[in-house]
Amino acid sequence: MQRNRLSLETSPYLLQHAENPVDWYPWGEEALALARRDHKPILLSVGYSACHWCHVMAHESFEDPAIAALMNQLFVNIKVDREERPDLDKIYQVAQQLITQRNGGWPLTMFLAPEDQRPFFGGTYFPKEPHHGMPGFGDILKRVAEYFNGHTAEIRQQNAQLALAFERLAPDEMSGEALLDEAPLLAARRVLEESFDSRFGGFGRAPKFPQPTSVERCLRHWYATSREPSPDLKALYMATLTLTRMAEGGLFDQLGGGFSRYSVDAY
C-alpha cells in the first residue's frame, strides 16, 4: 500500500495515518509553501492517539478513497498531533470557538487561508454521511472550497475580525507596580461553581472530561480557608463529589485501576 508523507514522522498518531489515501503533510514549510503557491485552502486536522472520535472520523472519511480524492483535489491536507504541537492546537481551538460559538474538541477540523494560515471555517468531528442535521463530510468539503473561491473579501474581513479578537484575548502587559492579589483565584473559584454539576459531579455538561486542575483548584481553595471561621466547604464538596462520581462511573478501570478518556454522558 502506498504511504503518504506521514510515514517519515515519529509521532505514533501521525504514523497511524501514514497509509491513508489522503495526501497528508505534517505541519511545516513544505505544506504551507505548497498552499501559497497553488492558492489552495489548507485542511488542518488535529487529534491524538487516545481520541475515540479521531479514530471514527479517520475510519469513516480519511480511509475512504472517494473522500480522500476530494480532499486531495480541493485542499492541502495537514495532520497535527496535539501532543506534539499543543501550541497549534491551542490557537486553532480558540479560533474554532470564536468562529462557531461552540465548544472545541477533537478531532479539530479547520480550514485555513493559504496566505497566513488564518481559519475561515471549522468544527470538530464531521460524519461521512448526513447525520442528526449535520451535512456529510464530502458535502462540507465541496461547500467550503466553493466558499473560499467565491468569497475572498468576506474571508479577509472575517480574518481581520478574528485577529482583533485574539488581540483582545491577550493579557495586558504587567506594570512594575501591579498588585498581585487573590482576585484571579476568587474569579476561578466562582466560575467553577457556576459550571459545577451538583448532582453528578464534574464541571459542565456532557461530554465530561476529567479536569484535574479544576479539582486541584477547589482543594487548594478549601485548604487556604480551612483555618478560617467559615472554611469554604462548597469548594471541598465540589472536589470530593467529582472524584467520587469519577470512581463510581465508567471512567474508572474497575480491573486495572486508573481513569481513561472521558464520559460521553452527564453521569
Side-chain angles (χ1 to χ4, degrees), residues 116-184:
D116 51 17
Q117 296 86 58
R118 290 181 180 174
F120 61 92
F121 180 72
T124 51
Y125 162 78
F126 290 107
K128 178 184 172 184
E129 305 294 340
H131 187 63
H132 290 304
M134 296 177 65
F137 191 50
D139 190 32
I140 287 174
L141 295 173
K142 295 174 185 175
R143 291 187 191 182
V144 170
E146 289 174 2
Y147 183 81
F148 173 78
N149 292 320
H151 296 81
T152 303
E154 291 92 332
I155 289 173
R156 287 177 179 169
Q157 182 180 7
Q158 176 181 287
N159 285 348
Q161 294 173 345
L162 194 62
L164 289 174
F166 268 92
E167 288 179 11
R168 289 194 293 269
L169 289 174
D172 296 332
E173 291 188 10
M174 299 286 287
S175 67
E177 300 178 356
L179 176 65
L180 297 178
D181 57 20
E182 292 185 341

Side-chain angles (χ1 to χ4, degrees), residues 7-221:
S7 63
L8 303 176
E9 296 299 300
T10 57
S11 157
Y13 174 69
L14 297 185
L15 289 171
Q16 289 172 1
H17 294 79
E19 294 183 354
N20 290 167
V22 178
D23 189 13
W24 288 119
Y25 286 79
W27 182 276
E29 185 53 34
E30 181 183 9
L32 303 182
L34 176 64
R36 290 192 297 267
R37 187 194 72 196
D38 294 351
H39 193 60
K40 266 188 174 183
I42 295 168
L43 192 164
L44 174 67
S45 176
V46 183
Y48 59 102
S49 292
C51 166
H52 171 71
W53 289 103
C54 297
H55 294 296
V56 172
M57 189 167 179
H59 178 66
E60 288 181 348
S61 294
F62 303 152
E63 296 175 9
D64 181 85
I67 295 291
L70 270 178
M71 294 172 64
N72 297 338
Q73 175 191 350
L74 301 174
F75 303 94
V76 172
N77 304 289
I78 298 180
K79 195 52 133 153
V80 165
D81 181 349
R82 71 170 295 265
E83 294 179 324
E84 276 194 338
R85 296 299 305 268
D87 54 333
L88 289 173
D89 179 57
K90 183 176 182 179
I91 290 170
Y92 289 110
Q93 286 286 350
V94 173
Q96 191 272 149
Q97 293 173 52
L98 289 172
I99 291 172
T100 66
Q101 297 297 300
R102 294 181 179 178
N103 292 333
W106 300 276
L108 180 65
T109 309
M110 298 299 287
F111 297 90
L112 320 180
E115 296 82 7
D116 51 17
Q117 296 86 58
R118 290 181 180 174
F120 61 92
F121 180 72
T124 51
Y125 162 78
F126 290 107
K128 178 184 172 184
E129 305 294 340
H131 187 63
H132 290 304
M134 296 177 65
F137 191 50
D139 190 32
I140 287 174
L141 295 173
K142 295 174 185 175
R143 291 187 191 182
V144 170
E146 289 174 2
Y147 183 81
F148 173 78
N149 292 320
H151 296 81
T152 303
E154 291 92 332
I155 289 173
R156 287 177 179 169
Q157 182 180 7
Q158 176 181 287
N159 285 348
Q161 294 173 345
L162 194 62
L164 289 174
F166 268 92
E167 288 179 11
R168 289 194 293 269
L169 289 174
D172 296 332
E173 291 188 10
M174 299 286 287
S175 67
E177 300 178 356
L179 176 65
L180 297 178
D181 57 20
E182 292 185 341
L185 299 179
L186 294 174
R189 161 68 178 79
R190 184 172 61 254
V191 170
L192 286 173
E193 183 170 1
E194 290 171 354
S195 64
F196 176 63
D197 184 339
S198 60
R199 182 179 180 188
F200 300 116
F203 302 93
R205 297 173 294 177
K208 283 183 180 171
F209 294 81
Q211 298 184 25
T213 54
S214 298
V215 173
E216 183 180 15
R217 180 66 250 147
C218 290
L219 290 173
R220 286 183 176 274
H221 197 85

